[in-house]
Amino acid sequence: MSQENKKNTNLQQKPWIRPLLDYFKAIKKHNDKIESIRQILFQSEGFNPNELFYYLDFKKNDFLTSKNLIHFLNQFNVPYEEQYIRCLVHNYDKDGDFTLNKNEFLDMILPIKQKNIKQIKSSIINNTNELYENRRDIYISNGIKKVFIELIKEELNLAETASYVVKNIYGSPKFTTYDAFVD
């Protein structure tokens, strides 16, 4: 049996393969766009990650929750589904406390492919001064807000795509994880 015939037979016998491959392509597309938006944000004139963090942390908790992001989006009348906001926070919440500390927030907004990103993150975390601790005079330009909104919207699209697959592929009684690795 030729390779092409074998491939077609697999697609006929396992109808979940095509949607799963499409899902991986969609995830790659979303991740590429997210990285591109992170680069734009990082290179924006006047961008200061500490200021953005403290601007969002309106309750002065030194962490962000889904409510902080919802409050921000509501200020600009950006539509969202709360379940995807929670997914976004969960995606970057490394310690499992349902919040984003500054380090986790930096993982969300800084470009992964940026040269010396670990040193940049360390410098940002260590560069918190009294201005930020008192949360006085924090100004975020409309341009930076717009780019940040685009980043959140793309993260929400990613969460929605993942949710769709969970419901429609993995939820199918015809599919098990074992099937994905067995020929």
Side-chain angles (χ1 to χ4, degrees):
M1 179 180 278
S2 76
Q3 198 66 4
E4 188 63 32
N5 286 341
K6 186 175 181 180
K7 189 177 188 182
N8 288 333
T9 302
N10 276 340
L11 287 174
Q12 290 169 354
Q13 291 174 344
K14 300 176 182 177
W16 49 264
I17 289 177
R18 177 62 54 208
L20 192 60
L21 292 174
D22 291 343
Y23 165 72
F24 288 132
K25 289 176 188 175
I27 294 299
K28 168 107 172 73
K29 181 180 168 189
H30 287 297
N31 281 332
D32 289 347
K33 189 166 184 184
I34 288 167
E35 183 65 11
S36 174
I37 296 169
R38 286 175 178 157
Q39 277 292 341
I40 292 167
L41 184 62
F42 184 73
Q43 295 171 357
S44 294
E45 185 176 335
F47 173 64
N48 183 319
N50 281 320
E51 289 180 354
L52 182 57
F53 179 83
Y54 291 121
Y55 177 81
L56 295 169
D57 182 21
F58 61 91
K59 288 189 175 183
K60 302 178 183 178
N61 293 323
D62 286 328
F63 60 80
L64 303 176
T65 66
S66 58
K67 289 183 181 185
N68 294 98
L69 297 177
I70 288 169
H71 177 77
F72 176 76
L73 294 175
N74 285 340
Q75 289 176 337
F76 299 96
N77 299 316
V78 176
Y80 61 87
E81 289 188 45
E82 191 171 339
Q83 67 183 352
Y84 300 133
I85 298 278
R86 288 192 308 269
C87 288
L88 186 158
V89 170
H90 177 73
N91 187 40
Y92 293 99
D93 175 23
K94 303 292 187 255
D95 58 12
D97 64 357
F98 305 104
T99 67
L100 298 177
N101 60 39
K102 191 185 296 184
N103 194 41
E104 293 164 338
F105 177 71
L106 293 176
D107 287 343
M108 183 178 112
I109 65 168
L110 294 179
I112 295 168
K113 297 176 182 173
Q114 181 67 35
K115 187 177 179 182
N116 302 325
I117 194 65
K118 288 183 180 183
Q119 291 87 352
I120 291 168
K121 278 178 62 177
S122 177
S123 173
I124 291 168
I125 289 172
N126 293 328
N127 190 19
T128 302
N129 62 29
E130 193 174 302
L131 169 75
Y132 305 128
E133 290 177 12
N134 293 327
R135 276 47 162 209
R136 291 187 196 141
D137 302 323
I138 295 177
Y139 172 77
I140 305 296
S141 74
N142 287 335
I144 290 173
K145 289 175 187 174
K146 286 179 184 178
V147 175
F148 185 64
I149 287 169
E150 290 306 310
L151 178 64
I152 292 175
K153 286 167 62 175
E154 193 58 34
E155 287 278 4
L156 297 179
N157 288 338
L158 175 62
E160 185 175 8
T161 300
S163 176
Y164 173 82
V165 168
V166 167
K167 289 176 189 170
N168 294 302
I169 296 175
Y170 291 109
S172 168
K174 298 175 184 171
F175 176 81
T176 65
T177 308
Y178 177 79
D179 292 331
F181 299 100
V182 175
D183 189 22

